[in-house]
Amino acid sequence: MKPVRIPIALQQAVMRCLRSKLLLAETHFGREFAVPLINYQQRGTSAGTAWLEKWEIRLNPLLLIENQQMFIDEVVPHELAHLLVYRQFGRVAPHGREWRWMMSQVLHTSPSRTHNFSLDALPTKTWSYLCRCQAHSLTVRRHKRVQRGEAQYRCRHCGELLRPAERQTSQLKALPERD
């Protein structure tokens, strides 16, 4: 997949937010923290991930470009909180009380586990499945789990097990054009 070019102003805004939140943590704990490495290679529907041992934050470039300031205000502190919790408390529940405390009391950000960004800009491949009342689209991950016999999915309306459509018409949405 071709890397997405992120405008330098957007990268600078990410770094400003990261440094300001890091300064709050340094003031609170009375110690310095290294600035985490920022990587813009997160794929899929995740907005970001924190790589604890690497002291690295991976951000989804497509969601960043589509949601800009809201993404920066929510995702950057969220992932930084994971790193800080790991540094202060070791391995604990990912969104447990330590993380919620770090978000609210130290980083002064509302502790939200998931994002509500539109996923329309993301390339998605889906597989058609049927039940007795409607057609369903399963993601590649869910489709592969069905194929390997690891999972079965039911329709929320009629309760019937989903079965693959006879003729597969998977669709791949094109990536939006970017300058």
Side-chain angles (χ1 to χ4, degrees), residues 3 13 35 52 62 83 94 106 128 134 138 143-145 151 176 178:
V35 176
L52 306 176
L62 294 174
L83 295 178
V106 178
S128 297
Q134 62 183 323
L138 265 60
H143 169 69
K144 286 183 178 180
R145 292 189 73 212
R178 299 278 178 220

Side-chain angles (χ1 to χ4, degrees), residues 11-70:
Q11 292 181 43
Q12 290 171 338
V14 166
M15 290 309 293
R16 273 193 306 277
C17 177
L18 180 67
R19 286 193 172 103
S20 73
K21 296 299 182 181
L22 207 50
L23 184 59
L24 290 173
E26 290 174 344
T27 302
H28 182 87
F29 293 110
R31 63 173 283 207
E32 288 187 20
F33 294 98
V35 176
L37 176 67
I38 299 292
N39 175 322
Y40 295 97
Q41 296 177 350
Q42 180 69 44
R43 294 179 9 196
T45 59
S46 271
T49 53
W51 289 65
L52 306 176
E53 293 84 8
K54 291 183 176 185
W55 198 249
E56 178 180 334
I57 295 173
R58 292 190 181 177
L59 300 176
N60 187 316
L62 294 174
L63 290 177
L64 171 61
I65 288 168
E66 290 295 316
N67 299 283
Q68 300 196 6
Q69 195 59 50
M70 188 167 45

Side-chain angles (χ1 to χ4, degrees), residues 75-123:
V75 178
V76 173
H78 177 116
E79 301 308 334
L80 178 60
H82 285 300
L83 295 178
L84 293 169
V85 165
Y86 177 69
R87 189 62 49 95
Q88 292 300 117
F89 304 106
R91 283 209 180 270
V92 295
H95 298 105
R97 64 184 163 96
E98 297 89 351
W99 178 83
R100 290 191 308 272
W101 174 82
M102 186 71 70
M103 285 288 287
S104 61
Q105 301 302 308
V106 178
L107 302 181
H108 307 297
T109 304
S110 177
S112 178
R113 291 182 57 195
T114 59
H115 67 77
N116 292 318
F117 305 134
S118 169
L119 303 177
D120 292 342
L122 301 179

Side-chain angles (χ1 to χ4, degrees), residues 153-164:
Y153 298 98
R154 292 186 178 275
C155 174
R156 290 184 182 182
H157 299 287
C158 69
E160 184 177 293
L161 277 177
L162 302 185
R163 61 190 184 286

